[in-house]
Amino acid sequence: MKKHNFSAGPAILPAEVIKEAAAGVLDINNIGLSLLEVSHRDKDFMNIMEEARSLVKELMGLSSEYQVLFLGGGASTQFAMVPSNLLVKDGTAAYVNTGVWASKAIKEAKMVGNINVIASSEDKKFSYVPKNYTIPTDANYLHVTSNNTIYGTQMHSYPDSPIPLVCDMSSDIFSRQLDFSKFSLIYAGAQKNMGAAGATMVIVKESLLGKTGRKMFSMLDYQVHIKGESMYNTPPVFPVYVSLLTMKWLKKNGGLAWIEAINRKKAELMYAEIDRNSLFTGTVVKEDRSWMNATFLLTKPELEETFNKMWKEAAIVGIKGHRDVGGYRASMYNALTIEDVQALVDVMKDFEKKNG
């Protein structure tokens, strides 16, 4: 029996994507070879890479001024690549700190140059998203993190930035409609909402590059990867393929408008139960709640063992909270169905009925 998978990442994928990806591992395009043993210079994989890069821009409605890359190293490598490519020597970059991953991005960027943290929610344990901050017009870029997987907050609107806007969208990429042209650079690890672990997608306005006045290692240089069409070195072939299949699944079903409507319903169902149920309480301010990661606590911690037993018996996995915050976290990425969410809600209702 397929379990209800609320894992925060690597996360749930559509069943048809897993089936097709598995077939490709056995034999890609009926050529008698596994995807895992085909040269990345072979047309069978080059076509996969080109289609994946093209489909990113199609789903997001982006123009030809943007380049799309699929790289290795995870989103954590982008914490260094972004300032290396955009932060001018003796310049300054502005960052908003909304959680663990934003904090790590700030730490890495400080090793490259001058960083100004212009807003932070650390004062209240990252339980909200800062607003109404002043963006310095003389900074080279503004970096934000769209969704906080650990603490359960999400940016539901973005500032009209007078400087290039950079966003880490690792945990809510392709989950909703946005005006993606507001962003000059977007990056996202694939394993939370668009594919298998091992690939990181980068979308960047090419006109921004080559202006820092600094020397870079080739592997950290976006221009090198653009020139190599994401194949300067051997790319993560299988995660790119799974990402392509997931994007094709999205497009076939109606794109970002389709998945946004579903994600909204899942979040509304989950949070309605958290707010209604006397044995649970949410951990973040309501207006900044994440559609992707609902975080909550027991109002009677002594019942933890009882609740854990109930959700495990219901074939639910992955809802234990991050070690830094405890409690529970229900990650509701694109491939998670509303029926999965209903299964958890039913357990929560039954738990209250028996223990409230």
Side-chain angles (χ1 to χ4, degrees):
M1 183 180 74
K2 177 70 173 179
K3 294 184 176 181
H4 305 289
N5 185 6
F6 289 85
S7 172
I12 187 171
L13 288 167
E16 65 188 75
V17 168
I18 294 176
K19 184 177 180 179
E20 192 169 353
V25 169
L26 296 175
D27 187 346
I28 189 70
N29 297 338
N30 297 312
I31 63 172
L33 293 171
S34 166
L35 170 67
L36 303 182
E37 57 186 354
V38 171
S39 168
H40 64 291
R41 300 296 179 187
D42 187 275
K43 65 177 177 64
D44 287 284
F45 180 73
M46 292 181 72
N47 290 341
I48 288 169
M49 177 65 84
E50 181 53 37
E51 187 178 2
R53 293 170 63 211
S54 176
L55 198 47
V56 169
K57 292 206 284 187
E58 182 181 342
L59 286 169
M60 291 182 159
L62 293 173
S63 68
S64 60
E65 66 181 323
Y66 289 88
Q67 291 283 351
V68 177
L69 302 169
F70 281 94
L71 306 175
S76 295
T77 300
Q78 297 307 310
F79 298 162
M81 287 185 74
V82 167
S84 294
N85 284 268
L86 300 186
L87 181 52
V88 174
K89 272 188 174 183
D90 301 321
T92 301
Y95 278 68
V96 176
N97 187 3
T98 50
V100 169
W101 302 110
S103 298
K104 290 185 176 183
I106 291 165
K107 177 185 175 182
E108 299 298 304
K110 284 181 176 179
M111 297 177 70
V112 178
N114 299 317
I115 301 302
N116 180 12
V117 180
I118 62 171
S120 174
S121 54
E122 190 172 11
D123 61 327
K124 294 184 179 179
K125 297 182 180 179
F126 300 117
S127 61
Y128 70 99
V129 174
K131 303 171 187 68
N132 302 318
Y133 44 83
T134 300
I135 301 170
T137 57
D138 58 347
N140 295 138
Y141 64 89
L142 169 63
H143 181 285
V144 298
T145 305
S146 61
N147 186 73
N148 188 338
T149 56
I150 292 175
Y151 293 92
T153 62
Q154 185 176 31
M155 296 184 72
H156 294 296
S157 63
Y158 291 87
D160 293 319
S161 178
I163 56 178
L165 182 59
V166 175
C167 189
D168 176 357
M169 289 191 186
S170 290
S171 53
D172 63 354
I173 192 72
F174 295 134
S175 67
R176 55 182 171 166
Q177 299 175 98
L178 291 171
D179 179 5
F180 292 101
S181 66
K182 293 183 67 169
F183 303 92
S184 294
L185 190 152
I186 296 168
Y187 63 92
Q191 71 276 9
K192 292 183 182 294
N193 215 29
M194 65 175 285
T200 303
M201 183 188 70
V202 177
I203 306 165
V204 60
K205 276 187 179 178
E206 193 169 6
S207 60
L208 289 179
L209 303 177
K211 299 177 181 180
T212 64
R214 68 174 76 248
K215 292 182 179 180
M216 280 186 287
F217 293 107
S218 297
M219 282 295 289
L220 297 182
D221 191 336
Y222 290 137
Q223 289 183 308
V224 168
H225 291 290
I226 289 170
K227 184 177 180 181
E229 297 181 324
S230 283
M231 290 186 283
Y232 169 72
N233 68 321
T234 305
V237 292
F238 182 70
V240 171
Y241 182 53
V242 179
S243 295
L244 169 61
L245 296 179
T246 304
M247 288 187 287
K248 290 172 74 171
W249 169 79
L250 270 175
K251 179 182 177 181
K252 178 184 71 173
N253 285 290
L256 300 190
W258 168 74
I259 200 64
E260 177 180 340
I262 293 173
N263 287 335
R264 183 186 296 274
K265 289 179 181 178
K266 291 187 297 188
E268 288 174 348
L269 176 61
M270 187 71 229
Y271 286 117
E273 180 59 22
I274 291 171
D275 291 340
R276 184 208 65 78
N277 197 309
S278 63
L279 295 181
F280 299 98
T281 183
T283 62
V284 304
V285 299
K286 290 185 178 181
E287 65 266 25
D288 295 330
R289 283 174 163 175
S290 168
W291 290 10
M292 298 287 99
N293 312 97
T295 54
F296 53 100
L297 303 171
L298 285 170
T299 56
K300 296 180 179 179
E302 66 272 16
L303 293 175
E304 179 179 1
E305 188 174 329
T306 302
F307 181 55
N308 290 350
K309 185 173 184 291
M310 290 181 68
W311 57 260
K312 289 175 182 178
E313 288 177 347
I316 291 168
V317 297
I319 69 165
K320 289 289 287 184
H322 190 274
R323 60 185 177 275
D324 287 349
V325 295
Y328 298 91
R329 171 177 55 177
S331 296
M332 302 175 288
Y333 298 123
N334 284 356
L336 191 82
T337 67
I338 197 159
E339 288 77 19
D340 292 316
V341 178
Q342 187 64 59
L344 176 54
V345 166
D346 288 344
V347 169
M348 294 167 73
K349 289 178 183 293
D350 191 36
F351 175 62
E352 183 191 37
K353 183 178 179 180
K354 293 176 178 177
N355 300 279

